[in-house]
């Protein structure tokens, strides 16, 4: 890439790391050890993923966004086609599950990559100066 510095060579961008679950340091696959659980560390470069604090932000955000989209889609299907309730649930349940898992993986990976690239650290009460 143009403008690469030696310390960022080989590192994926935030979008690439998020979409393909790549290590933000070396670009190796294997960021997750489960559906939405981070692996303890990178198998290739040894980066400790547990040092990053992604938090519950992605889950809260996805609950609102996916819930709103599925509610809108469900209402549209109900009003347009009037399917039985069991069919509506059969159609929407896998959609909710798939969108939530995929969304959690992408947003958690993006936040971890952003923290790595910005060298974010947790602020403690010792770090805050009182003037």
């Amino acid at each position: 890439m143009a403008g690469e510095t030696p310390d960022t060579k080989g590192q994926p961008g935030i979008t690439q790391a998020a979409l393909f679950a790549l290590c933000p340091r070396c670009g190796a696959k294997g960021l997750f050890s489960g559906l939405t659980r981070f692996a303890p560390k990178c198998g290739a470069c040894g980066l400790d993923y547990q040092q990053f604090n992604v938090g519950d932000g992605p889950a809260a955000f996805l609950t609102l966004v996916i819930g709103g989209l599925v509610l809108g889609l469900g209402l549209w299907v109900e009003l347009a086609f009037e399917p039985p309730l069991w069919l509506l649930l059969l159609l929407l349940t896998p959609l909710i599950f798939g969108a939530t898992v995929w969304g959690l993986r992408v947003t958690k990976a993006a936040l971890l990559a952003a923290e790595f690239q910005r060298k974010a650290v947790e602020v403690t009460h010792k770090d805050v100066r009182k003037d």
Side-chain angles (χ1 to χ4, degrees):
M1 294 167 127
E4 268 186 1
T5 59
D7 60 340
T8 61
K9 187 174 183 176
Q11 292 179 351
I14 292 175
T15 304
Q16 232 181 347
L19 290 176
F20 302 111
L22 305 176
C23 172
R25 181 190 287 164
C26 67
K29 290 188 177 188
L31 187 61
F32 292 96
S33 64
L35 280 178
T36 60
R37 182 178 304 227
F38 288 123
K41 64 180 184 172
C42 177
C45 69
L47 177 64
D48 180 19
Y49 298 141
Q50 295 174 345
Q51 69 180 332
F52 299 101
N53 182 16
V54 174
D56 293 331
F61 178 73
L62 286 171
T63 299
L64 293 173
V65 172
I66 293 173
L69 291 174
V70 170
L71 176 66
L73 178 66
L75 287 173
W76 175 75
V77 169
E78 176 63 34
L79 295 174
F81 303 108
E82 297 180 15
L85 181 60
W86 65 267
L87 182 60
L88 191 60
L89 292 174
L90 186 69
L91 294 172
L92 293 181
T93 301
L95 175 68
I96 293 168
F97 180 77
T100 302
V101 169
W102 181 80
L104 276 174
R105 287 177 63 94
V106 169
T107 54
K108 287 176 73 170
L111 287 172
L112 186 137
E115 283 186 23
F116 175 80
Q117 287 184 358
R118 290 171 177 80
K119 297 174 178 60
V121 293
E122 187 174 345
V123 176
T124 64
H125 71 281
K126 295 178 196 174
D127 299 331
V128 180
R129 273 186 35 188
K130 293 182 180 179
D131 290 331

